[in-house]
Amino acid sequence: MIFTEQIKADFNLYMAQAADDDFTRLRQHAYSVFEQLGIPSIQLEEWKYSNLRPIQQGQFTTSCVSKLDADSLINAGILNKIVANKLVFVNGCLFPELSIWLETDERIKVCSLATARKEHTALFDTHFGKYIDFSNDGLLALNTALMSDGAFVYVPEGISLQYPLMITNITDATEHNLFQQPRNLIVVEKNASASIIENYLAVGSYPSFTNVVNEIFVAENASLEHYKVQRAAGETYQTNFTQIHQLANTKINQVTLTLDGNWVRNNLHFFMNGQHCNSLLYGLYIPDGNQFVDNHSRVDHAMPNCYSDEKYKGVLKDHATAVFNGKIVVHEDAQKTNAYQRNQNILLSNTATINTKPQLEIFADDVKCTHGATIGQLDEEPMFYLRSRGISEQEARRLLLNAFADDIAEKIKIPELVSILESEIERKL
Amino acid sequence: MISITNLQASIEGKSILNGINLDIKPGEVHAIMGPNGAGKSTLSSVLAGRSDYEITGGKVEFLGKDLLELSPEDRAREGLFLAFQYPVEIPGVSSTNFLKTAINEKRKYHGLEPMEATDFLKFMRSKMEEMEMDKSLTSRSLNEGFSGGEKKRNEVFQMAMLEPKLCIMDETDSGLDIDALRLVSAGVNKLRNKERSFLVITHYQRLLDYIVPDYVHVLYKGRIVKSGDASLAKELEVKGYDWIKQEVEAAV
Ligand SMILES: Nc1ncnc2c1ncn2[C@@H]1O[C@H](COP(=O)(O)OP(=O)(O)O)[C@@H](O)[C@H]1O
Ligand SMILES: [Mg+2]
């Protein structure tokens, strides 16, 4: 059975036991949109470098079943040293044994999305599906129609999470091909703050396809640190769509680290729907071998006086391919917008490829927008300078690449994540 | 210390060093002077191991080893140090981390254990005091945003930290005002001792008022065309380089 037939069968199975309610109708609608749009093909301008054909032609099982026990998951490196609240999902389903809750304030609500729909129905209905628009996006529609489980996070007004919350997703492809669709919903209310880590890992050598959707809502005066750490090694395909909807006076730092994974496509969308928003979009990708990494981003400045600063950096080795496509849209009303964007790349081999494209669409007249992209090798001069002081070529390269990554690392407030980054750079060399 | 015999080098097929002969013994300070384009920086780059140049002839013996066979890092570990004419800025590499790495790589090469972090910091602090280095300089990224003078002082500070046997200084005086020149020279003079040798490259004589050399050589068109003692530098200051150029042209 090819992928879309499989989806159809899965959806019919779901419908056979679904209740007759709004949620089901939403999913039914999403499914019909997916039937029309399908998996994005490279004919679409936004997907021309990101080929999902192998997925379309593959056969995948959707199943929570995993023989992995807690110990082997810890050995897979789930960042057990980080002191954090933890939600662990395996193949899209909650794995309670490894989940940890440290907060004492009972007004905070963190659970699986499935639980939230039952126990926090009003909140769920207020926010679920309200910030994404799947009408033009087959993968968003597919996720909405047939999502696995995911995290539900609700930080009420005026409350700060005392510890970061780490949402770990583990792909277990040790027994068969795997398809999963994590779906996370994060709500940070007025004057609240949170630090959230999305953490991806994989074990097993069968192919897998993970289609993630994150919906994040940040209300007035709230702040959010959001990290995405992608280390799902093996025959993994991941599409990861993150929509952040922010209201006035919010401050958001978003850092995406794409370190491992055979094929990764990220879509990061910010919608600034209030004045004096301040958003940072930082990212680092260090693909090697035949890895493919595509970072698409879109920042909508819909209101005046907002600031966005985007910086993505890449170090590419071997036959790796990367794509950067950053779109800034300044709406007609968004006067006094400040929007910055940079994409900088170092190619360590002449068989690595980078496609980089900034897109500015500006409909207001009083704005400050800059963008720039660079592609180059490690500079000879600093290299020689370091070596002339007795530092080996290898060590000099390590120092220079860490220095290159430094302004991204600087934005990471969690030391364990910084050391992961450093050891990945070390390993990739 | 170092013995350079008939050294020839070219870049992009253009011959720049045309047979350099120079012998420096432990503790000696040699100055190389010469007009712009004579090949002074080329000589220092070739000795430090920059790969842009092709060595077309001659040999260099450094402390009993064939220098030209060694990688740049091994030359440094053997005790050669080049103070650059234009030190590069390296944002994101902390001065402290850089020096610790350099010292420990050298120790490893000589079969020594790495320095303990606290010992290293103590050592660095004492050297900073000795060389009158400001803390603000070593707490920053390597040379980042340093003024010309600060960069040159940082080169001399690195020299103090790495304790080389032969220091090559390429136009350390260029771009310095008189106060910075004094500071840099005072630093260098503190590092002079019976064992350590210096090769001081300069276009102007004024540096040699502060760092008094034992020998002065004039480099012109890739050759040492005249050698003498410190008084040769004075003579050049008065007469300029034209008379040397004329002498050379006349001899051809
Ligand atoms: N990278 C290079 N490429 C081409 N020519 C060079 C290069 N470096 C130096 N040269 C040439 O070599 C000659 C000597 O230069 P240099 O050693 O810098 O002289 P100095 O330091 O005495 O002023 C000059 O004619 C210069 O143009
Ligand atoms: Mg020069």
PDB file of all heavy atoms in Angstrom, chain A residues 381-382 384-393 395 399-400 403, chain B residues 50 72-73 76-77 81-82 84 90-91 98 101-102 105 143 155 158:
ATOM      1  N   GLU A 381      43.353  33.006   7.244  1.00  0.00           N
ATOM      2  CA  GLU A 381      44.163  33.847   8.130  1.00  0.00           C
ATOM      3  C   GLU A 381      44.058  33.451   9.606  1.00  0.00           C
ATOM      4  O   GLU A 381      45.073  33.232  10.253  1.00  0.00           O
ATOM      5  CB  GLU A 381      43.794  35.325   7.935  1.00  0.00           C
ATOM      6  CG  GLU A 381      44.382  35.936   6.670  1.00  0.00           C
ATOM      7  CD  GLU A 381      45.907  35.866   6.622  1.00  0.00           C
ATOM      8  OE1 GLU A 381      46.553  36.244   7.621  1.00  0.00           O
ATOM      9  OE2 GLU A 381      46.440  35.408   5.602  1.00  0.00           O
ATOM     10  N   PRO A 382      42.834  33.351  10.149  1.00  0.00           N
ATOM     11  CA  PRO A 382      42.738  32.912  11.539  1.00  0.00           C
ATOM     12  C   PRO A 382      43.329  31.521  11.744  1.00  0.00           C
ATOM     13  O   PRO A 382      43.951  31.240  12.758  1.00  0.00           O
ATOM     14  CB  PRO A 382      41.228  32.874  11.806  1.00  0.00           C
ATOM     15  CG  PRO A 382      40.630  33.717  10.765  1.00  0.00           C
ATOM     16  CD  PRO A 382      41.521  33.690   9.582  1.00  0.00           C
ATOM     17  N   PHE A 384      45.845  30.137  10.133  1.00  0.00           N
ATOM     18  CA  PHE A 384      47.307  30.210  10.199  1.00  0.00           C
ATOM     19  C   PHE A 384      47.759  30.859  11.506  1.00  0.00           C
ATOM     20  O   PHE A 384      48.735  30.428  12.127  1.00  0.00           O
ATOM     21  CB  PHE A 384      47.871  30.992   8.995  1.00  0.00           C
ATOM     22  CG  PHE A 384      49.373  31.065   9.005  1.00  0.00           C
ATOM     23  CD1 PHE A 384      50.140  29.925   8.847  1.00  0.00           C
ATOM     24  CD2 PHE A 384      50.018  32.280   9.200  1.00  0.00           C
ATOM     25  CE1 PHE A 384      51.527  29.978   8.887  1.00  0.00           C
ATOM     26  CE2 PHE A 384      51.401  32.345   9.241  1.00  0.00           C
ATOM     27  CZ  PHE A 384      52.160  31.199   9.079  1.00  0.00           C
ATOM     28  N   TYR A 385      47.028  31.856  11.924  1.00  0.00           N
ATOM     29  CA  TYR A 385      47.372  32.541  13.174  1.00  0.00           C
ATOM     30  C   TYR A 385      47.378  31.550  14.345  1.00  0.00           C
ATOM     31  O   TYR A 385      48.324  31.489  15.123  1.00  0.00           O
ATOM     32  CB  TYR A 385      46.364  33.653  13.435  1.00  0.00           C
ATOM     33  CG  TYR A 385      46.716  34.585  14.565  1.00  0.00           C
ATOM     34  CD1 TYR A 385      47.521  35.697  14.339  1.00  0.00           C
ATOM     35  CD2 TYR A 385      46.251  34.370  15.854  1.00  0.00           C
ATOM     36  CE1 TYR A 385      47.849  36.572  15.367  1.00  0.00           C
ATOM     37  CE2 TYR A 385      46.569  35.231  16.892  1.00  0.00           C
ATOM     38  CZ  TYR A 385      47.363  36.327  16.646  1.00  0.00           C
ATOM     39  OH  TYR A 385      47.686  37.182  17.668  1.00  0.00           O
ATOM     40  N   LEU A 386      46.331  30.749  14.435  1.00  0.00           N
ATOM     41  CA  LEU A 386      46.242  29.787  15.539  1.00  0.00           C
ATOM     42  C   LEU A 386      47.341  28.731  15.431  1.00  0.00           C
ATOM     43  O   LEU A 386      47.983  28.383  16.414  1.00  0.00           O
ATOM     44  CB  LEU A 386      44.861  29.112  15.551  1.00  0.00           C
ATOM     45  CG  LEU A 386      43.674  30.040  15.830  1.00  0.00           C
ATOM     46  CD1 LEU A 386      42.357  29.288  15.704  1.00  0.00           C
ATOM     47  CD2 LEU A 386      43.785  30.666  17.217  1.00  0.00           C
ATOM     48  N   ARG A 387      47.559  28.241  14.225  1.00  0.00           N
ATOM     49  CA  ARG A 387      48.594  27.215  14.054  1.00  0.00           C
ATOM     50  C   ARG A 387      49.971  27.766  14.373  1.00  0.00           C
ATOM     51  O   ARG A 387      50.818  27.072  14.935  1.00  0.00           O
ATOM     52  CB  ARG A 387      48.559  26.651  12.634  1.00  0.00           C
ATOM     53  CG  ARG A 387      47.303  25.840  12.350  1.00  0.00           C
ATOM     54  CD  ARG A 387      47.287  25.313  10.938  1.00  0.00           C
ATOM     55  NE  ARG A 387      48.281  24.265  10.751  1.00  0.00           N
ATOM     56  CZ  ARG A 387      48.646  23.793   9.551  1.00  0.00           C
ATOM     57  NH1 ARG A 387      48.081  24.291   8.458  1.00  0.00           N
ATOM     58  NH2 ARG A 387      49.541  22.839   9.459  1.00  0.00           N
ATOM     59  N   SER A 388      50.194  29.030  14.034  1.00  0.00           N
ATOM     60  CA  SER A 388      51.518  29.619  14.295  1.00  0.00           C
ATOM     61  C   SER A 388      51.773  29.781  15.797  1.00  0.00           C
ATOM     62  O   SER A 388      52.864  30.138  16.204  1.00  0.00           O
ATOM     63  CB  SER A 388      51.637  30.976  13.609  1.00  0.00           C
ATOM     64  OG  SER A 388      50.976  31.965  14.384  1.00  0.00           O
ATOM     65  N   ARG A 389      50.736  29.521  16.600  1.00  0.00           N
ATOM     66  CA  ARG A 389      50.928  29.565  18.057  1.00  0.00           C
ATOM     67  C   ARG A 389      51.040  28.162  18.648  1.00  0.00           C
ATOM     68  O   ARG A 389      50.955  27.968  19.862  1.00  0.00           O
ATOM     69  CB  ARG A 389      49.769  30.310  18.724  1.00  0.00           C
ATOM     70  CG  ARG A 389      49.638  31.768  18.302  1.00  0.00           C
ATOM     71  CD  ARG A 389      50.895  32.570  18.642  1.00  0.00           C
ATOM     72  NE  ARG A 389      50.780  33.962  18.276  1.00  0.00           N
ATOM     73  CZ  ARG A 389      51.492  34.564  17.325  1.00  0.00           C
ATOM     74  NH1 ARG A 389      52.380  33.864  16.626  1.00  0.00           N
ATOM     75  NH2 ARG A 389      51.350  35.840  17.072  1.00  0.00           N
ATOM     76  N   GLY A 390      51.149  27.174  17.753  1.00  0.00           N
ATOM     77  CA  GLY A 390      51.351  25.806  18.229  1.00  0.00           C
ATOM     78  C   GLY A 390      50.074  24.979  18.314  1.00  0.00           C
ATOM     79  O   GLY A 390      50.080  23.868  18.830  1.00  0.00           O
ATOM     80  N   ILE A 391      48.967  25.534  17.821  1.00  0.00           N
ATOM     81  CA  ILE A 391      47.690  24.818  17.890  1.00  0.00           C
ATOM     82  C   ILE A 391      47.514  23.990  16.616  1.00  0.00           C
ATOM     83  O   ILE A 391      47.697  24.503  15.508  1.00  0.00           O
ATOM     84  CB  ILE A 391      46.535  25.829  18.070  1.00  0.00           C
ATOM     85  CG1 ILE A 391      46.704  26.550  19.426  1.00  0.00           C
ATOM     86  CG2 ILE A 391      45.180  25.147  17.981  1.00  0.00           C
ATOM     87  CD1 ILE A 391      45.732  27.683  19.668  1.00  0.00           C
ATOM     88  N   SER A 392      47.186  22.711  16.781  1.00  0.00           N
ATOM     89  CA  SER A 392      47.084  21.824  15.616  1.00  0.00           C
ATOM     90  C   SER A 392      45.948  22.275  14.694  1.00  0.00           C
ATOM     91  O   SER A 392      45.033  22.977  15.110  1.00  0.00           O
ATOM     92  CB  SER A 392      46.821  20.392  16.070  1.00  0.00           C
ATOM     93  OG  SER A 392      45.527  20.318  16.645  1.00  0.00           O
ATOM     94  N   GLU A 393      46.016  21.812  13.465  1.00  0.00           N
ATOM     95  CA  GLU A 393      45.004  22.178  12.480  1.00  0.00           C
ATOM     96  C   GLU A 393      43.611  21.763  12.957  1.00  0.00           C
ATOM     97  O   GLU A 393      42.652  22.535  12.876  1.00  0.00           O
ATOM     98  CB  GLU A 393      45.341  21.467  11.171  1.00  0.00           C
ATOM     99  CG  GLU A 393      44.785  22.155   9.976  1.00  0.00           C
ATOM    100  CD  GLU A 393      45.270  21.526   8.673  1.00  0.00           C
ATOM    101  OE1 GLU A 393      46.260  20.760   8.688  1.00  0.00           O
ATOM    102  OE2 GLU A 393      44.639  21.802   7.651  1.00  0.00           O
ATOM    103  N   GLU A 395      42.558  21.171  16.046  1.00  0.00           N
ATOM    104  CA  GLU A 395      42.129  21.953  17.207  1.00  0.00           C
ATOM    105  C   GLU A 395      41.760  23.380  16.781  1.00  0.00           C
ATOM    106  O   GLU A 395      40.795  23.966  17.274  1.00  0.00           O
ATOM    107  CB  GLU A 395      43.273  21.956  18.226  1.00  0.00           C
ATOM    108  CG  GLU A 395      42.948  22.522  19.584  1.00  0.00           C
ATOM    109  CD  GLU A 395      41.853  21.766  20.323  1.00  0.00           C
ATOM    110  OE1 GLU A 395      41.583  20.606  19.985  1.00  0.00           O
ATOM    111  OE2 GLU A 395      41.262  22.370  21.236  1.00  0.00           O
ATOM    112  N   LEU A 399      38.235  25.250  17.340  1.00  0.00           N
ATOM    113  CA  LEU A 399      38.083  26.575  17.968  1.00  0.00           C
ATOM    114  C   LEU A 399      37.308  27.528  17.059  1.00  0.00           C
ATOM    115  O   LEU A 399      36.420  28.244  17.497  1.00  0.00           O
ATOM    116  CB  LEU A 399      39.460  27.189  18.267  1.00  0.00           C
ATOM    117  CG  LEU A 399      40.215  26.688  19.497  1.00  0.00           C
ATOM    118  CD1 LEU A 399      41.624  27.262  19.524  1.00  0.00           C
ATOM    119  CD2 LEU A 399      39.473  27.063  20.779  1.00  0.00           C
ATOM    120  N   LEU A 400      37.645  27.508  15.777  1.00  0.00           N
ATOM    121  CA  LEU A 400      37.016  28.454  14.857  1.00  0.00           C
ATOM    122  C   LEU A 400      35.549  28.121  14.611  1.00  0.00           C
ATOM    123  O   LEU A 400      34.718  29.016  14.480  1.00  0.00           O
ATOM    124  CB  LEU A 400      37.789  28.512  13.535  1.00  0.00           C
ATOM    125  CG  LEU A 400      39.194  29.127  13.654  1.00  0.00           C
ATOM    126  CD1 LEU A 400      39.942  29.022  12.338  1.00  0.00           C
ATOM    127  CD2 LEU A 400      39.108  30.580  14.114  1.00  0.00           C
ATOM    128  N   ALA A 403      33.684  29.120  17.567  1.00  0.00           N
ATOM    129  CA  ALA A 403      33.562  30.580  17.548  1.00  0.00           C
ATOM    130  C   ALA A 403      32.449  30.996  16.585  1.00  0.00           C
ATOM    131  O   ALA A 403      31.658  31.887  16.872  1.00  0.00           O
ATOM    132  CB  ALA A 403      34.879  31.217  17.135  1.00  0.00           C
TER     133      ALA A 403
ATOM    134  N   ARG B  50      53.908  29.734   6.493  1.00  0.00           N
ATOM    135  CA  ARG B  50      52.725  30.042   5.691  1.00  0.00           C
ATOM    136  C   ARG B  50      52.831  29.313   4.351  1.00  0.00           C
ATOM    137  O   ARG B  50      53.876  29.312   3.708  1.00  0.00           O
ATOM    138  CB  ARG B  50      52.639  31.552   5.459  1.00  0.00           C
ATOM    139  CG  ARG B  50      51.252  32.013   5.044  1.00  0.00           C
ATOM    140  CD  ARG B  50      51.274  33.466   4.638  1.00  0.00           C
ATOM    141  NE  ARG B  50      51.198  34.394   5.755  1.00  0.00           N
ATOM    142  CZ  ARG B  50      50.059  34.738   6.364  1.00  0.00           C
ATOM    143  NH1 ARG B  50      48.918  34.225   5.977  1.00  0.00           N
ATOM    144  NH2 ARG B  50      50.075  35.591   7.354  1.00  0.00           N
ATOM    145  N   PRO B  72      53.512  24.461  10.579  1.00  0.00           N
ATOM    146  CA  PRO B  72      53.551  25.724  11.347  1.00  0.00           C
ATOM    147  C   PRO B  72      53.429  25.474  12.852  1.00  0.00           C
ATOM    148  O   PRO B  72      54.138  26.092  13.644  1.00  0.00           O
ATOM    149  CB  PRO B  72      52.327  26.494  10.832  1.00  0.00           C
ATOM    150  CG  PRO B  72      52.029  25.924   9.505  1.00  0.00           C
ATOM    151  CD  PRO B  72      52.486  24.493   9.531  1.00  0.00           C
ATOM    152  N   GLU B  73      52.515  24.531  13.235  1.00  0.00           N
ATOM    153  CA  GLU B  73      52.331  24.316  14.673  1.00  0.00           C
ATOM    154  C   GLU B  73      53.565  23.683  15.313  1.00  0.00           C
ATOM    155  O   GLU B  73      53.931  24.025  16.434  1.00  0.00           O
ATOM    156  CB  GLU B  73      51.062  23.501  14.958  1.00  0.00           C
ATOM    157  CG  GLU B  73      50.891  22.196  14.208  1.00  0.00           C
ATOM    158  CD  GLU B  73      50.122  22.350  12.890  1.00  0.00           C
ATOM    159  OE1 GLU B  73      50.327  23.366  12.195  1.00  0.00           O
ATOM    160  OE2 GLU B  73      49.345  21.443  12.553  1.00  0.00           O
ATOM    161  N   ALA B  76      56.177  26.293  15.956  1.00  0.00           N
ATOM    162  CA  ALA B  76      55.862  27.043  17.179  1.00  0.00           C
ATOM    163  C   ALA B  76      56.216  26.219  18.411  1.00  0.00           C
ATOM    164  O   ALA B  76      56.796  26.726  19.367  1.00  0.00           O
ATOM    165  CB  ALA B  76      54.385  27.409  17.195  1.00  0.00           C
ATOM    166  N   ARG B  77      55.885  24.921  18.358  1.00  0.00           N
ATOM    167  CA  ARG B  77      56.149  24.066  19.522  1.00  0.00           C
ATOM    168  C   ARG B  77      57.647  23.895  19.759  1.00  0.00           C
ATOM    169  O   ARG B  77      58.086  23.672  20.880  1.00  0.00           O
ATOM    170  CB  ARG B  77      55.497  22.702  19.306  1.00  0.00           C
ATOM    171  CG  ARG B  77      53.965  22.772  19.284  1.00  0.00           C
ATOM    172  CD  ARG B  77      53.381  21.572  18.587  1.00  0.00           C
ATOM    173  NE  ARG B  77      51.913  21.613  18.576  1.00  0.00           N
ATOM    174  CZ  ARG B  77      51.164  20.750  17.891  1.00  0.00           C
ATOM    175  NH1 ARG B  77      51.736  19.792  17.173  1.00  0.00           N
ATOM    176  NH2 ARG B  77      49.861  20.845  17.924  1.00  0.00           N
ATOM    177  N   PHE B  81      58.446  31.890  17.215  1.00  0.00           N
ATOM    178  CA  PHE B  81      57.255  32.727  17.406  1.00  0.00           C
ATOM    179  C   PHE B  81      57.302  33.886  16.425  1.00  0.00           C
ATOM    180  O   PHE B  81      58.312  34.580  16.318  1.00  0.00           O
ATOM    181  CB  PHE B  81      57.229  33.272  18.838  1.00  0.00           C
ATOM    182  CG  PHE B  81      55.995  34.089  19.144  1.00  0.00           C
ATOM    183  CD1 PHE B  81      54.913  33.522  19.799  1.00  0.00           C
ATOM    184  CD2 PHE B  81      55.914  35.428  18.767  1.00  0.00           C
ATOM    185  CE1 PHE B  81      53.771  34.271  20.077  1.00  0.00           C
ATOM    186  CE2 PHE B  81      54.779  36.186  19.034  1.00  0.00           C
ATOM    187  CZ  PHE B  81      53.704  35.602  19.700  1.00  0.00           C
ATOM    188  N   LEU B  82      56.205  34.083  15.717  1.00  0.00           N
ATOM    189  CA  LEU B  82      56.115  35.233  14.820  1.00  0.00           C
ATOM    190  C   LEU B  82      55.106  36.225  15.372  1.00  0.00           C
ATOM    191  O   LEU B  82      53.933  35.892  15.552  1.00  0.00           O
ATOM    192  CB  LEU B  82      55.688  34.776  13.415  1.00  0.00           C
ATOM    193  CG  LEU B  82      55.280  35.891  12.433  1.00  0.00           C
ATOM    194  CD1 LEU B  82      56.465  36.822  12.143  1.00  0.00           C
ATOM    195  CD2 LEU B  82      54.761  35.304  11.118  1.00  0.00           C
ATOM    196  N   PHE B  84      52.931  39.029  14.361  1.00  0.00           N
ATOM    197  CA  PHE B  84      52.444  39.408  13.035  1.00  0.00           C
ATOM    198  C   PHE B  84      52.420  40.918  12.817  1.00  0.00           C
ATOM    199  O   PHE B  84      52.164  41.685  13.746  1.00  0.00           O
ATOM    200  CB  PHE B  84      51.017  38.881  12.825  1.00  0.00           C
ATOM    201  CG  PHE B  84      50.944  37.400  12.580  1.00  0.00           C
ATOM    202  CD1 PHE B  84      51.042  36.495  13.628  1.00  0.00           C
ATOM    203  CD2 PHE B  84      50.771  36.912  11.290  1.00  0.00           C
ATOM    204  CE1 PHE B  84      50.971  35.126  13.411  1.00  0.00           C
ATOM    205  CE2 PHE B  84      50.696  35.547  11.063  1.00  0.00           C
ATOM    206  CZ  PHE B  84      50.799  34.660  12.121  1.00  0.00           C
ATOM    207  N   ILE B  90      39.882  37.405  15.919  1.00  0.00           N
ATOM    208  CA  ILE B  90      39.125  36.145  15.876  1.00  0.00           C
ATOM    209  C   ILE B  90      37.970  36.213  16.869  1.00  0.00           C
ATOM    210  O   ILE B  90      38.078  35.768  18.003  1.00  0.00           O
ATOM    211  CB  ILE B  90      40.037  34.926  16.143  1.00  0.00           C
ATOM    212  CG1 ILE B  90      41.314  35.017  15.308  1.00  0.00           C
ATOM    213  CG2 ILE B  90      39.283  33.649  15.831  1.00  0.00           C
ATOM    214  CD1 ILE B  90      42.184  33.788  15.335  1.00  0.00           C
ATOM    215  N   PRO B  91      36.836  36.755  16.435  1.00  0.00           N
ATOM    216  CA  PRO B  91      35.674  36.856  17.313  1.00  0.00           C
ATOM    217  C   PRO B  91      35.227  35.472  17.762  1.00  0.00           C
ATOM    218  O   PRO B  91      35.278  34.521  16.977  1.00  0.00           O
ATOM    219  CB  PRO B  91      34.589  37.495  16.430  1.00  0.00           C
ATOM    220  CG  PRO B  91      35.297  38.025  15.237  1.00  0.00           C
ATOM    221  CD  PRO B  91      36.561  37.248  15.076  1.00  0.00           C
ATOM    222  N   PHE B  98      42.351  30.427  24.122  1.00  0.00           N
ATOM    223  CA  PHE B  98      43.352  30.337  23.057  1.00  0.00           C
ATOM    224  C   PHE B  98      44.743  30.084  23.644  1.00  0.00           C
ATOM    225  O   PHE B  98      45.460  29.166  23.222  1.00  0.00           O
ATOM    226  CB  PHE B  98      43.306  31.637  22.248  1.00  0.00           C
ATOM    227  CG  PHE B  98      44.553  31.988  21.503  1.00  0.00           C
ATOM    228  CD1 PHE B  98      44.939  31.280  20.385  1.00  0.00           C
ATOM    229  CD2 PHE B  98      45.346  33.049  21.921  1.00  0.00           C
ATOM    230  CE1 PHE B  98      46.094  31.610  19.687  1.00  0.00           C
ATOM    231  CE2 PHE B  98      46.494  33.386  21.241  1.00  0.00           C
ATOM    232  CZ  PHE B  98      46.874  32.664  20.123  1.00  0.00           C
ATOM    233  N   THR B 101      45.028  26.625  25.244  1.00  0.00           N
ATOM    234  CA  THR B 101      45.142  25.585  24.219  1.00  0.00           C
ATOM    235  C   THR B 101      46.557  25.557  23.642  1.00  0.00           C
ATOM    236  O   THR B 101      47.169  24.496  23.505  1.00  0.00           O
ATOM    237  CB  THR B 101      44.122  25.835  23.086  1.00  0.00           C
ATOM    238  OG1 THR B 101      42.831  26.010  23.660  1.00  0.00           O
ATOM    239  CG2 THR B 101      44.082  24.678  22.123  1.00  0.00           C
ATOM    240  N   ALA B 102      47.071  26.740  23.323  1.00  0.00           N
ATOM    241  CA  ALA B 102      48.403  26.820  22.715  1.00  0.00           C
ATOM    242  C   ALA B 102      49.462  26.252  23.659  1.00  0.00           C
ATOM    243  O   ALA B 102      50.310  25.444  23.258  1.00  0.00           O
ATOM    244  CB  ALA B 102      48.723  28.265  22.348  1.00  0.00           C
ATOM    245  N   GLU B 105      49.039  22.414  24.038  1.00  0.00           N
ATOM    246  CA  GLU B 105      49.440  21.651  22.847  1.00  0.00           C
ATOM    247  C   GLU B 105      50.968  21.580  22.760  1.00  0.00           C
ATOM    248  O   GLU B 105      51.531  20.581  22.360  1.00  0.00           O
ATOM    249  CB  GLU B 105      48.854  22.289  21.579  1.00  0.00           C
ATOM    250  CG  GLU B 105      47.347  22.107  21.501  1.00  0.00           C
ATOM    251  CD  GLU B 105      46.879  21.460  20.205  1.00  0.00           C
ATOM    252  OE1 GLU B 105      47.626  21.448  19.207  1.00  0.00           O
ATOM    253  OE2 GLU B 105      45.753  20.945  20.200  1.00  0.00           O
ATOM    254  N   ASN B 143      41.924  39.591  19.978  1.00  0.00           N
ATOM    255  CA  ASN B 143      42.173  40.789  19.163  1.00  0.00           C
ATOM    256  C   ASN B 143      40.915  41.520  18.696  1.00  0.00           C
ATOM    257  O   ASN B 143      41.013  42.494  17.956  1.00  0.00           O
ATOM    258  CB  ASN B 143      43.002  40.447  17.896  1.00  0.00           C
ATOM    259  CG  ASN B 143      44.425  40.061  18.235  1.00  0.00           C
ATOM    260  OD1 ASN B 143      44.993  40.590  19.185  1.00  0.00           O
ATOM    261  ND2 ASN B 143      44.986  39.143  17.474  1.00  0.00           N
ATOM    262  N   GLU B 155      50.478  40.722  20.937  1.00  0.00           N
ATOM    263  CA  GLU B 155      51.455  39.818  20.331  1.00  0.00           C
ATOM    264  C   GLU B 155      52.623  39.598  21.296  1.00  0.00           C
ATOM    265  O   GLU B 155      53.083  38.481  21.490  1.00  0.00           O
ATOM    266  CB  GLU B 155      51.994  40.395  19.008  1.00  0.00           C
ATOM    267  CG  GLU B 155      50.969  40.501  17.891  1.00  0.00           C
ATOM    268  CD  GLU B 155      50.521  39.157  17.345  1.00  0.00           C
ATOM    269  OE1 GLU B 155      51.291  38.505  16.613  1.00  0.00           O
ATOM    270  OE2 GLU B 155      49.390  38.757  17.664  1.00  0.00           O
ATOM    271  N   GLN B 158      51.564  37.432  24.177  1.00  0.00           N
ATOM    272  CA  GLN B 158      51.563  36.010  23.801  1.00  0.00           C
ATOM    273  C   GLN B 158      52.977  35.442  23.809  1.00  0.00           C
ATOM    274  O   GLN B 158      53.224  34.308  24.199  1.00  0.00           O
ATOM    275  CB  GLN B 158      50.960  35.837  22.410  1.00  0.00           C
ATOM    276  CG  GLN B 158      49.459  36.050  22.359  1.00  0.00           C
ATOM    277  CD  GLN B 158      48.935  35.998  20.930  1.00  0.00           C
ATOM    278  OE1 GLN B 158      49.486  35.328  20.081  1.00  0.00           O
ATOM    279  NE2 GLN B 158      47.868  36.722  20.684  1.00  0.00           N
TER     280      GLN B 158
END
